[in-house]
Amino acid sequence: QVQLVESGGDLVQAGGSMRLSCAASGSIGIINTMDMGWYRQAPGKQRELVATISSSANTNYADSVTGRFTITRDKAKKTIYLQMNNLVPADTAVYYCWARFALLRTYWGPGTQVTVSS
């Protein structure tokens, strides 16, 4: 089974930066065929897409984070990252790592809290 573990969530003031990491455990051959990414869920709201990165490094971003966030991938380490710059209070949420193996399975990490104070 593929397992995902996020790290890097913290409390920061508006305008600050933060980098999240998501390390995957399991077969490197399987993990490196997966699309991966980040979702977030703010208090009282539904989970929403933040960014995704495919096995071929194609990326997709939510409009609300375009230009501020960057998703990257290190296949040798089975890890993805989310660099977050110019953070605003609306970015406050639990951030979840996500991975999809073709159309067969979807995996979620337990989440990491990001809090941006005004």
Side-chain angles (χ1 to χ4, degrees):
Q1 180 180 352
V2 173
Q3 292 184 325
L4 307 173
V5 180
E6 306 95 337
S7 63
D10 207 345
L11 189 155
V12 68
Q13 290 186 327
S17 297
M18 193 180 302
R19 190 179 77 156
L20 305 182
S21 300
C22 173
S25 61
S27 169
I28 192 169
I30 292 175
I31 291 169
N32 285 341
T33 69
M34 290 180 163
D35 295 334
M36 298 185 69
W38 296 92
Y39 284 71
R40 67 186 182 187
Q41 188 166 22
K45 296 184 178 180
Q46 292 187 311
R47 191 172 298 186
E48 65 174 351
L49 170 73
V50 177
T52 58
I53 185 165
S54 73
S55 61
S56 58
N58 292 321
T59 58
N60 184 48
Y61 296 93
D63 289 344
S64 60
V65 306
T66 296
R68 298 190 297 121
F69 290 11
T70 303
I71 186 170
T72 56
R73 183 170 190 162
D74 187 333
K75 288 190 172 182
K77 296 181 178 179
K78 299 185 293 183
T79 300
I80 64 167
Y81 306 91
L82 185 68
Q83 179 65 47
M84 305 184 292
N85 297 326
N86 194 25
L87 287 161
V88 297
D91 295 319
T92 295
V94 177
Y95 284 69
Y96 296 93
C97 187
W98 166 90
R100 183 180 65 185
F101 177 62
L103 299 176
L104 301 178
R105 296 182 181 89
T106 300
Y107 302 91
W108 295 93
T112 186
Q113 177 70 49
V114 172
T115 303
V116 184
S117 62
S118 59

